[in-house]
Amino acid sequence: MGVIGQHLLNGMMQGTIYGLVAMGFTIFFGVMNVIKFSHGDVLTLGAFGGLVAVWATHSLGLSVPSQFIAAFAAAMLLSAVAGAGISHFLIMPLRNAPPLNMLLMTMMVGTVLREAIRLFFPNGTNPQRFPELLPSGGFDIGSSFFRTDALILIVAGIASIGVVYWIINRTKFGLAMRAVAEDVETARTMGINFARVIPLTFALGSITAGFAGTIYGLYYSEINYGMGLLLAVIGFTAAIVGGLGNIWGAIIGGYLFAGLQTFVVAAIPSMSDYKNVFAFVLIIMLITWRPTGLLAERGSERV
Amino acid sequence: MTATSTPGSLLESRGLTVRFGGLLALNELDIDVRHGEVLGLIGPNGSGKTTFLNVISGVYSASAGSIRLDGVDITTASAQSLSNHGLARTFQRSRLCLPLSVFDNIALGAQKRLDSGLWQNLVRRKEFAAEARAIAAEARELLHVFNPMLADKLFEPAISLGMIDRRRVEICRALIGKPKLVLLDEPSAGMTHDETDQVVDEILGIRKSLGGLTIIIVEHEMGLIERVTDRCVVLNYGKKICEGRFRDVAVDPVVREAYLGQS
Amino acid sequence: MSKLSPSHKTVPVWPLIAAVAFAAAALTTLVLIENQKILGLALAGIAAICFAAARFGGVTAAETAASENPWLLRGLILIAALAVLFVLRDDNFGLLMVATVLIYATVCIGLTIQMGYAGLTNFAAAAFVGTGGYTAAMLGQKGGLPDPLVLISGGLIAVLIGSLLILPVLRTRGHYAALTTLAFGVMFNVFLDANELLGGPQGLKIPGINLFGWDFSSDLHILGFTFSFYVNYVILTGVLTALAMILAGLLDKSWIGVWLDVVRLDETAASVFGLKIGYWKILAFTLGNFLAGVMGAVYAKMTGFIAPSNFTFGDSLVMVSIVILGGIGNRWGVLPAALIVVLLPEKLQFIQEYRLLLYAILVIVILIVRPDGFVARRVRALRMEARS
């Protein structure tokens, strides 16, 4: 019975991370009609940036809370710059290229980031230990043990999802973003500064990646150069299942995928290696049933 | 809901209704198209003209009502099967495959009578070549009606043609299938007044050389409608508000209000 | 190049001969040279000649000559192939590389039919190749089935596995469709890694090929010369590549090619004129997967060993990039693209560690600078068949 609590916690954490990644995907697609597959590797970049920041502040003798903040700040900044840079130099100039070319290119950009980290970060091929910056230990509820740091991270993650949602739906910038996503031409004629909204949107999406990467590092206590790839595939999947361009869909998709994984691990422990297989099979079935995602509109076109 | 077939009607719709979510695009439409006539379908923007064409050609589903083509109920027929029933159409926004050659595009119109089996296409190359030559000859003939120079461009990519030539290719694509009923969706869109006059003459010429072709034209250009059509149906908000010859319809007060009342 | 010119007006043939000779020489040079500096110079030279040829219309001249003289082209290729084989006859590693290039090329021709002709996105090509490989491995362990059937089985099983994806592939469009094959590819890998029955991450050993008594593990002795046994594999893969090229060519220059193009470009127009979209997509998907499965079986038996790490998403990505770099929809472009993608990383030893990084950068650069690929797809010209 106590295991259930553990699974629940794990699932929530995973779902939060997937949701954050999926939100990025859906934002990028909504505003520029592009699937930015390098998103996962931007997350990794952020995580490594956070790690370096922790090392730096630690060696400077700064307090643990400062290191904690430095990690997030560095990760989010680095990811934002990388994400905005990629969008400005590589995606925007090619926005009229065939979607397949764009998809391939962002996948390659991801590869570049991943390989760069592997090759140029000291001992990059091996997993890096992420320091403990949150209070260890936990408490019991019933027969389940709940880690304190896990709870803090989950709350932080959900809070950040909320912040992004708020930015998109309640601020002027978010309005501009949604206008551009809806209809670029009209948005421009309405006076929205296209050249500013786009990079800022990519920065926003990438900031969430940096945030997610740091959370990942703190929760699992380690990061490695390849962690972004599977996260990207899952995040992409979650965004698709929820319906590309739909923020709620991305969030729900992320938790759904985590839920499927957790279900397999909890219900059939001997098959836990196959958790991703099960999840993907179910996702494919879902997509077949609803070819444009769970929360998307359906037209009456038969062809 | 079976409808009695009116003699002399090639196409008839009864109570045809199309809903998009909350929007009623077509509202209990009863339309008859007689064999061999050119019917104009007019009405203000958003009155459902293109929707009507889309429902008939299987692109949209009908929410209620029925459609019969030559006595056969085609209300739920798929777009694919409709071409077998003798239906062909052009599109409002030109739907040519631009990277493909003029020949490829026109051949699509003849698809249903071509042998597309693997054996024929991969092994029996001589027979395939003969079929291809025959289609090329037919395509050239059709293009020739419009413009002999166009016939020479049979193997140019469609993207290299100007707008008016692309329209002509689309019409040829619709005609090569030897259809019973052709739907023309705003054939003059994007063209100048003179070009429109040209298209009108060409359509009349085609009709003459093919003899007995039934056409439904959706148009905004009233001059074209006046010259080309035998009869008109006027739609407004998805309902038929008037029908008859153009000159009668043009002075009908209900019609005038529909157009002018919209500001 | 007027299409009104009568067929007996002579088109110069020497550009074609020069092109084939140059290709053969370039291939041999790249394979043979070990010294990194000389290799670098050779590469630069080859690249320069290619640019110059493209710039001064040499490529177009060769293409025209090729389409007017198909039998000459086939003859030249045959002679060139024999010459290359002769020169490389005792370079084991070189022959193995050439065979690998040909395997990738054939798989990518299948991928061209799927993506370039029918417009399906397939990010799981490596998984289908792997299916063929594992089929060969399992059949090899059980024994009994003659090798020609083993190879065909590899193709058939790949088709079978692919049919599981048919429904999602047909119902989804664009990025949603990309997800389907992407997820499948990732799943395939996870499944193989975890599954002990199929060897797990350690992989499986497989015996070599024996076709109708032709034992691929023994050297060939012809006219007093000894050809290393890898030649057998090069000949086999070469024949298969040629067959795949012919298949793709016949498809392209037929009604099937036209219908596939229309399905890819405009499904609404396709439906309205009677094309059954599902049928054509399934056809393309099946053909491509069959080729992938057969080549997977060949690959497995050639290398004698397979493991899940041979068939990752990264490998599928490489195959997709070969198709795009070569010029999507143009089967001829697959050959030089496969050559560059497979050969260069092996040869340029000094960049071994950085090969994936440099490869990714190269693809990005080409996508920006030459998005149509090396050899852009030409407008279909059924002129030979449809002369009035």
Side-chain angles (χ1 to χ4, degrees):
Chain A
M1 263 303 118
V3 200
I4 297 225
Q6 193 55 47
H7 285 314
L8 209 67
L9 210 66
N10 247 341
M12 283 297 291
M13 188 76 259
Q14 291 280 61
T16 309
I17 293 179
Y18 296 155
L20 281 168
V21 177
M23 278 175 91
F25 271 108
T26 237
I27 288 173
F28 300 143
F29 184 81
V31 86
M32 266 245 81
N33 242 311
V34 68
I35 296 290
K36 187 163 170 279
F37 229 83
S38 50
H39 191 50
D41 301 287
V42 166
L43 179 150
T44 313
L45 188 70
F48 273 82
L51 182 64
V52 169
V54 171
W55 286 351
T57 48
H58 180 81
S59 60
L60 286 175
L62 294 175
S63 64
V64 169
S66 318
Q67 294 175 31
F68 182 78
I69 294 178
F72 277 100
M76 284 158 67
L77 188 64
L78 191 55
S79 297
V81 169
I86 291 171
S87 84
H88 183 77
F89 290 108
L90 293 175
I91 295 181
M92 281 296 284
L94 257 72
R95 64 183 176 279
N96 294 317
L100 186 61
N101 283 29
M102 180 67 86
L103 191 58
L104 181 64
M105 190 193 59
T106 57
M107 285 175 172
M108 288 292 142
V109 171
T111 306
V112 170
L113 285 174
R114 205 179 319 131
E115 286 295 298
I117 292 176
R118 181 179 75 89
L119 293 166
F120 303 125
F121 196 82
N123 199 17
T125 338
N126 293 322
Q128 308 290 320
R129 222 197 110 251
F130 210 93
E132 298 273 338
L133 296 177
L134 287 167
S136 54
F139 50 91
D140 289 304
I141 298 184
S143 49
S144 305
F145 178 73
F146 290 86
R147 281 168 55 185
T148 317
D149 56 355
L151 287 168
I152 295 178
L153 289 172
I154 290 175
V155 168
I158 294 180
S160 66
I161 291 180
V163 167
V164 176
Y165 188 82
W166 176 81
I167 290 178
I168 292 176
N169 286 306
R170 297 261 183 273
T171 64
K172 247 177 86 176
F173 172 65
L175 188 60
M177 257 180 63
R178 281 181 291 135
V180 171
E182 194 63 45
D183 187 334
V184 174
E185 285 313 314
T186 313
R188 276 170 121 155
T189 53
M190 290 284 143
I192 289 178
N193 191 342
F194 186 73
R196 223 159 23 104
V197 170
I198 298 291
L200 282 177
T201 307
F202 273 89
L204 176 66
S206 305
I207 284 181
T208 60
F211 195 84
T214 317
I215 290 182
Y216 184 103
L218 287 168
Y219 185 73
Y220 292 106
S221 299
E222 84 170 19
I223 56 176
N224 71 84
Y225 75 95
M227 68 198 238
L229 185 56
L230 188 59
L231 283 176
V233 174
I234 294 175
F236 174 57
T237 307
I240 289 243
V241 161
L244 279 174
N246 189 316
I247 289 287
W248 263 125
I251 300 171
I252 291 175
Y255 283 106
L256 179 65
F257 198 93
L260 290 174
Q261 283 181 321
T262 312
F263 174 74
V264 173
V265 172
I268 324 167
S270 56
M271 297 284 233
S272 40
D273 283 335
Y274 292 94
K275 66 176 187 224
N276 283 332
V277 177
F278 272 103
F280 278 122
V281 167
L282 282 160
I283 294 289
I284 290 183
M285 284 172 24
L286 245 162
I287 267 293
T288 309
W289 172 52
R290 300 276 241 165
T292 47
L294 286 174
L295 299 186
E297 232 79 285
R298 287 168 97 197
S300 72
E301 278 212 24
R302 282 190 292 190
V303 294
Chain B
M1 202 171 115
T2 44
T4 46
S5 196
T6 320
S9 263
L10 177 62
L11 180 85
E12 49 185 37
S13 75
R14 293 283 176 268
L16 189 59
T17 308
V18 173
R19 265 188 217 95
F20 294 123
L23 177 68
L24 195 60
L26 293 182
N27 194 347
E28 311 238 339
L29 216 46
D30 290 347
I31 291 186
D32 277 295
V33 185
R34 303 186 197 129
H35 276 284
E37 80 170 331
V38 180
L39 181 78
L41 194 58
I42 58 180
N45 274 328
S47 51
K49 311 187 293 294
T50 298
T51 308
F52 181 70
L53 293 191
N54 281 337
V55 172
I56 302 181
S57 57
V59 175
Y60 291 160
S61 328
S63 312
S66 72
I67 313 167
R68 296 181 85 87
L69 179 64
D70 219 0
V72 177
D73 188 310
I74 59 165
T75 321
T76 51
S78 68
Q80 281 89 343
S81 60
L82 284 167
S83 73
N84 286 331
H85 287 282
L87 190 80
R89 69 169 291 178
T90 65
F91 294 87
Q92 186 175 2
R93 222 197 49 209
S94 173
R95 277 200 117 113
L96 282 188
C97 296
L98 294 177
L100 300 184
S101 68
V102 171
F103 174 78
D104 287 349
N105 277 287
I106 295 183
L108 176 63
Q111 187 270 333
K112 62 180 195 273
R113 57 181 159 107
L114 296 175
D115 191 333
S116 305
L118 277 171
W119 188 251
Q120 169 90 344
N121 283 273
L122 295 180
V123 179
R124 300 182 70 215
R125 297 294 291 180
K126 272 221 189 68
E127 286 79 357
F128 162 73
E131 210 179 24
R133 278 196 295 273
I135 294 293
E138 283 186 50
R140 278 208 181 84
E141 239 184 85
L142 277 170
L143 288 168
H144 201 91
V145 171
F146 287 108
N147 186 347
M149 296 242 287
L150 195 52
D152 286 339
K153 295 192 183 163
L154 193 60
F155 291 103
E156 300 288 311
I159 200 171
S160 69
L161 300 179
M163 200 61 208
I164 187 171
D165 278 338
R166 291 188 198 175
R167 277 283 147 71
R168 290 166 171 155
V169 171
E170 264 205 270
I171 294 177
C172 291
R173 178 175 73 178
L175 294 177
I176 198 168
K178 302 192 175 46
K180 296 182 204 164
L181 174 63
V182 176
L183 313 174
L184 298 178
D185 198 348
E186 297 202 33
S188 77
M191 296 200 285
T192 66
H193 199 71
D194 291 331
E195 288 170 340
T196 307
D197 278 344
Q198 252 185 301
V199 172
V200 169
D201 291 330
E202 288 161 2
I203 293 176
L204 292 175
I206 289 262
R207 239 188 107 226
K208 228 197 223 135
S209 61
L210 287 181
L213 190 59
T214 313
I215 302 179
I216 302 179
I217 294 189
V218 165
E219 252 306 336
H220 280 295
E221 254 279 330
M222 293 305 152
L224 192 157
I225 294 281
E226 186 171 10
R227 282 179 60 192
V228 152
T229 62
D230 301 319
R231 256 192 341 131
C232 286
V233 165
V234 188
L235 296 184
N236 196 17
Y237 292 115
K239 278 189 95 65
K240 179 169 71 174
I241 60 172
C242 189
E243 72 181 295
R245 289 185 305 180
F246 178 76
R247 54 165 173 253
D248 300 327
V249 150
V251 297
D252 186 298
V254 180
V255 173
R256 293 188 88 94
E257 203 206 310
Y259 271 98
L260 298 174
Q262 282 198 337
S263 45
Chain C
M1 257 205 313
S2 162
K3 46 201 164 317
L4 298 176
S5 64
S7 56
H8 51 264
K9 176 171 177 183
T10 43
V11 167
V13 167
W14 65 264
L16 180 60
I17 301 179
V20 176
F22 171 69
L27 173 63
T28 325
T29 322
L30 288 178
V31 169
L32 282 180
I33 300 181
E34 293 289 337
N35 184 306
Q36 297 291 289
K37 289 209 186 70
I38 303 182
L39 184 62
L41 285 171
L43 266 174
I46 291 173
I49 296 180
C50 286
F51 275 121
R55 183 78 175 67
F56 294 109
V59 175
T60 327
E63 276 183 313
T64 325
S67 62
E68 298 286 323
N69 302 284
W71 283 107
L72 178 63
L73 176 66
R74 290 163 196 156
L76 285 173
I77 291 180
L78 189 61
I79 296 173
L82 291 173
V84 170
L85 279 180
F86 181 75
V87 173
L88 295 176
R89 66 186 180 283
D90 31 338
D91 186 350
N92 275 351
F93 192 60
L95 288 172
L96 186 64
M97 274 198 292
V98 172
T100 309
V101 169
L102 289 171
I103 289 176
Y104 268 87
T106 313
V107 173
C108 290
I109 290 173
L111 204 52
T112 295
I113 295 176
Q114 292 174 338
M115 288 181 21
Y117 293 179
L120 303 166
T121 25
N122 185 356
F123 278 106
F128 289 108
V129 174
T131 307
Y134 271 89
T135 307
M138 305 283 15
L139 290 175
Q141 296 203 324
K142 298 286 161 60
L145 205 60
D147 277 339
L149 288 181
V150 170
L151 297 184
I152 294 180
S153 304
L156 291 175
I157 302 287
V159 168
L160 197 67
I161 300 286
S163 63
L164 294 175
L165 288 180
I166 282 290
L167 208 59
V169 164
L170 285 183
R171 276 179 59 89
T172 51
R173 303 265 175 283
H175 294 118
Y176 297 87
L179 170 66
T180 307
T181 49
L182 187 62
F184 174 69
V186 172
M187 270 202 298
F188 179 81
N189 227 275
V190 172
F191 183 77
L192 285 178
D193 255 338
N195 193 312
E196 283 310 312
L197 219 66
L198 294 172
Q202 281 80 20
L204 295 172
K205 294 241 287 275
I206 307 143
I209 297 186
N210 192 312
L211 284 183
F212 308 112
W214 173 16
D215 184 4
F216 276 46
S217 56
S218 56
D219 298 341
L220 285 184
H221 302 276
I222 303 176
L223 299 176
F225 293 104
T226 306
F227 291 74
S228 148
F229 71 97
Y230 274 116
V231 157
N232 300 313
Y233 288 101
V234 176
I235 294 176
L236 175 66
T237 52
V239 167
L240 290 174
T241 306
L243 288 176
M245 287 287 278
I246 292 174
L247 174 70
L250 286 174
L251 280 175
D252 191 35
K253 290 189 171 30
S254 73
W255 296 132
I256 299 181
V258 181
W259 309 152
L260 288 176
D261 280 342
V262 176
V263 165
R264 181 183 88 248
L265 291 168
D266 191 339
E267 284 191 28
T268 307
S271 306
V272 157
F273 287 102
L275 285 180
K276 293 198 178 57
I277 311 277
Y279 172 77
W280 295 108
K281 284 189 172 179
I282 293 177
L283 180 70
F285 198 54
T286 304
L287 286 174
N289 292 345
F290 182 76
L291 283 174
V294 168
M295 297 324 282
V298 172
Y299 176 78
K301 291 176 93 60
M302 183 174 83
T303 51
F305 173 81
I306 48 164
S309 55
N310 294 129
F311 312 109
T312 64
F313 169 65
D315 297 301
S316 293
L317 208 52
V318 165
M319 291 167 189
V320 169
S321 53
I322 289 178
V323 170
I324 294 183
L325 289 184
I328 191 164
N330 189 324
R331 65 195 190 282
W332 290 103
V334 165
L335 297 169
L339 188 72
I340 292 178
V341 168
V342 174
L343 203 63
L344 287 191
E346 291 294 327
K347 295 298 299 190
L348 296 174
Q349 290 297 321
F350 65 93
I351 60 161
Q352 267 304 311
E353 264 298 286
Y354 300 85
R355 39 190 269 196
L356 196 50
L357 178 66
L358 289 175
Y359 172 69
I361 294 177
L362 178 70
V363 174
I364 294 174
V365 167
I366 294 185
L367 282 175
I368 296 177
V369 161
R370 205 178 161 84
D372 280 335
F374 296 145
V375 199
R377 191 174 181 190
R378 302 267 178 253
V379 176
R380 176 177 297 101
L382 285 175
R383 281 173 238 168
M384 300 298 281
E385 283 84 359
R387 289 241 175 81
S388 55

